[in-house]
């Protein structure tokens, strides 16, 4: 599957085992819901690191849409919340 | 398949990754739905891509300008800090610990601003690099899109075109959304930085920062200069004093009598010459009163000769 880390690019991620990705993703979501800044930061960094480790970057000229999209590395919790709404951070 | 796996057991909650990607897809679909002719979609999208490319390049240039401005301020503050340390050293050399402390306090204040600016500089540099990479990636994707657009147009059959267009379109629109956000982020950071840099420039220009980091109204430098000047005066004074105490005994040894007469006699002669003949006799008369009688006879013939 293709995962995009915003501000970083797309990764082709091996999806035979997504347990760790799922776990970190759930942690991230819970942290945002609970407004837990420390947990948020840890989960986001962990999740991004996992994607980078488990995937390889797609060539720049690839036009394939991503299956999953992740916030950029130094997103604040507020930015992630806005990202989750239709008229949030995404332009257009 | 993977997405299904990810969503398994999270009916109500689907995770941040999925939710963000759905928002992106919704945006792309909304834009697609507005188009009636698929070929129009391609051309319109390509125009927007080119616009975005221009925008991201301008963004890189803006961040670079901001970074250079901060760099300039860093250099200025560094010079101030160096100067203040130099002043502290000089003050200490003159035994003025109070002045040295004042200079070092200002240096600390300049240094903390300096550290702050250096952090900002690093942030701007990182932002510049990110945007540069984003701009290169977008360029590659725009080129790929243009190629694909031409192929689709050339072999256009309405049935298959829609899917291929949708594919290309959602891929590029996702990238455009990403780049658009990166530009926005860089713009925000640059704006913050510009505001701060502007404030520091204004403070420096108005002289309000001078008390903190030295500058035009530099009282420490004034005091150091004054001390240097007064120590110059002291040095001159003691030099003159030294000359006096070293030179005086010689003059005394030369004989108080002989010398005083030697200097006085020609003076008297000069005065008489300037005043002219009629006044000469009274002058000659007053002189004997000041000079011991025994010395008068040799003086008389001199007057006669002159």
């Amino acid at each position: 599957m293709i995962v995009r880390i915003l501000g970083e690019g797309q990764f082709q991620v091996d999806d035979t085992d997504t347990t760790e990705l799922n776990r970190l993703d759930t942690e991230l979501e819970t942290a945002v819901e609970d407004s837990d800044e420390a947990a948020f930061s840890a989960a986001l960094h962990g999740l991004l690191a996992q994607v980078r480790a488990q995937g390889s970057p797609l060539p720049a000229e690839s036009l394939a849409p991503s299956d999953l999209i992740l916030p950029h590395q130094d997103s604040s919790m507020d930015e992630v919340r806005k990202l989750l709404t239709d008229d949030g951070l995404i332009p257009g | 398949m993977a997405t299904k796996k990810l969503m398994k057991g999270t009916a109500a909650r689907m995770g941040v990754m999925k939710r963000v990607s759905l928002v992106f897809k919704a945006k792309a679909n909304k834009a697609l739905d507005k188009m009636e002719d698929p070929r129009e979609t391609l051309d319109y999208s390509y125009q927007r891509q080119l616009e975005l490319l221009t925008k991201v390049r301008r963004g890189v240039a803006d961040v670079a300008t901001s970074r250079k401005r901060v760099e300039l301020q860093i250099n200025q503050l560094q010079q101030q800090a160096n100067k203040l340390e130099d002043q502290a050293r000089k003050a200490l050399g003159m035994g003025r610990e109070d002045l040295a402390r004042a200079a070092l306090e200002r240096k600390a204040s300049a240094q903390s601003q300096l550290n702050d600016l250096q952090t900002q500089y690093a942030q701007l540099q990182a932002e510049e690099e990110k945007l540069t990479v984003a701009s290169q990636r977008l360029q590659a994707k725009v080129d790929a899109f243009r190629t694909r657009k031409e192929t689709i147009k050339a072999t256009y059959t309405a049935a298959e075109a829609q899917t291929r267009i949708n594919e290309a379109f959602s891929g590029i629109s996702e990238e455009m959304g990403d780049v658009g956000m990166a530009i926005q982020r860089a713009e925000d950071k640059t704006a913050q930085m510009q505001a701060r840099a502007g404030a520091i420039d204004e403070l420096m220009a108005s002289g309000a920062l001078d008390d903190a980091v030295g500058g035009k109204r530099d009282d420490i430098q004034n005091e150091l200069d004054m001390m240097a000047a007064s120590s110059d005066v002291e040095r001159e004074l003691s030099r003159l004093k030294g000359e006096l105490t070293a030179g005086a005994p010689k003059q005394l040894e030369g004989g108080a009598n002989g010398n005083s007469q030697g200097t006085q006699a020609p003076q008297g002669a000069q005065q008489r010459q300037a005043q002219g003949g009629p006044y000469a006799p009274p002058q000659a008369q007053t002189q004997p009163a000041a000079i011991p009688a025994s010395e008068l006879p040799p003086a008389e013939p001199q007057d006669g000769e002159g």
Side-chain angles (χ1 to χ4, degrees):
Chain A
M1 64 175 168
I2 297 173
V3 179
R4 173 185 292 270
I5 299 177
L6 290 174
E8 218 167 297
Q10 292 171 301
F11 294 82
Q12 182 71 54
V13 176
D14 174 16
D15 54 3
T16 47
D17 185 8
T18 52
T19 325
E20 185 62 9
L21 284 177
N22 276 328
R23 188 185 66 77
L24 288 163
D25 191 26
T26 310
E27 255 178 41
L28 181 63
E29 195 174 33
T30 312
V32 174
E33 279 165 8
D34 299 349
S35 295
D36 184 343
E37 194 76 55
F40 165 82
S41 177
L44 180 59
H45 283 90
L47 188 51
L48 298 189
Q50 186 63 32
V51 169
R52 291 184 201 116
Q54 208 169 320
S56 50
L58 271 190
E61 64 273 16
S62 150
L63 283 177
S66 310
D67 299 298
L68 300 167
I69 297 179
L70 276 170
H72 67 93
Q73 169 114 27
D74 16 83
S75 304
S76 68
M77 203 150 54
D78 200 39
E79 279 175 307
V80 172
R81 272 202 202 98
K82 282 185 191 150
L83 209 51
L84 295 174
T85 64
D86 203 7
D87 42 22
L89 285 173
I90 310 162
Chain B
M1 197 164 36
T3 40
K4 267 179 205 152
K5 244 188 244 173
L6 279 165
M7 290 175 71
K8 194 166 65 183
T10 52
R13 324 163 32 124
M14 57 176 105
V16 172
M17 300 199 276
K18 192 71 208 162
R19 281 164 72 188
V20 175
S21 71
L22 284 181
V23 175
F24 268 88
K25 283 200 177 74
K27 293 260 178 191
N29 287 335
K30 215 183 277 175
L32 261 178
D33 287 347
K34 284 187 198 149
M35 302 296 154
E36 288 183 359
D37 183 341
R39 281 169 293 186
E40 192 189 312
T41 311
L42 292 171
D43 289 332
Y44 174 74
S45 174
Y46 186 63
Q47 278 313 310
R48 286 201 54 204
Q49 291 161 32
L50 293 180
E51 284 164 22
L52 189 63
L53 259 182
T54 312
K55 208 175 161 190
V56 73
R57 286 187 190 132
R58 202 167 48 226
V60 172
D62 285 349
V63 177
T65 308
S66 244
R67 177 179 54 76
K68 280 172 197 151
R69 190 174 176 189
V70 172
E71 196 173 352
L72 205 70
Q73 289 190 330
I74 285 177
N75 289 342
Q76 285 173 343
L77 275 172
Q78 188 62 62
Q79 278 172 16
Q80 286 287 2
N82 292 347
K83 182 180 149 198
L84 284 163
E85 190 178 327
D86 203 41
Q87 287 179 341
R89 197 173 289 121
K90 276 183 190 149
L92 215 52
M94 290 173 174
R96 286 288 305 273
E97 201 177 317
D98 59 324
L99 211 54
R101 181 167 284 126
L104 288 179
E105 273 163 11
R106 285 178 200 182
K107 191 199 159 195
S109 154
Q111 191 66 51
S112 95
Q113 292 201 42
L114 200 55
N115 295 345
D116 198 34
L117 279 181
Q118 269 156 352
T119 312
Q120 293 177 38
Y121 183 82
Q123 282 176 2
L124 278 180
Q125 211 169 21
E127 214 56 52
E128 193 179 337
E129 272 162 31
K130 272 188 223 158
L131 265 196
T132 306
V133 172
S135 138
Q136 286 161 354
R137 205 167 48 225
L138 183 63
Q139 177 72 68
K141 282 196 165 40
V142 168
D143 290 345
F145 185 90
R146 193 190 56 230
T147 311
R148 195 172 304 182
K149 170 171 88 88
E150 295 313 317
T151 318
I152 292 172
K153 273 180 158 181
T155 61
Y156 183 76
T157 62
E160 61 146 14
Q162 194 64 60
T163 3
R164 291 174 63 196
I165 289 171
N166 284 3
E167 236 177 56
F169 187 83
S170 39
I172 196 88
S173 80
E174 188 186 301
E175 185 71 33
M176 288 169 76
D178 189 352
V179 170
M181 274 163 55
I183 294 174
Q184 189 56 53
R185 236 178 11 247
E187 273 176 3
D188 290 350
K189 284 215 174 116
T190 310
Q192 283 172 10
M193 213 69 70
Q194 293 281 17
R196 295 187 68 153
I200 292 181
D201 276 348
E202 250 173 58
L203 280 173
M204 278 179 165
S206 73
L209 257 187
D210 289 349
D211 282 340
V213 291
K216 276 170 261 165
R217 296 183 289 106
D218 191 338
D219 52 328
I220 291 182
Q221 191 58 50
N222 283 348
E223 197 152 343
L224 282 174
D225 288 348
M226 267 166 58
M227 283 168 66
S230 76
S231 83
D232 279 350
V233 170
E234 290 301 323
R235 206 179 311 120
E236 286 281 279
L237 254 179
S238 63
R239 182 176 66 80
L240 289 179
K241 276 183 191 162
E243 273 179 20
L244 267 180
T245 48
K250 271 185 211 158
Q251 284 181 329
L252 287 169
E253 275 167 26
N257 290 346
N259 258 10
S260 62
Q261 199 224 353
T263 48
Q264 270 182 357
Q267 247 181 6
Q270 274 176 345
Q271 274 175 348
R272 279 190 292 276
Q273 274 176 340
Q275 282 164 348
Y279 293 98
Q283 279 272 339
Q285 274 173 356
T286 55
Q287 226 177 9
I291 295 167
S294 59
E295 306 216 356
L296 270 173
E300 287 286 9
Q302 271 186 342
D303 286 342
E305 282 165 24

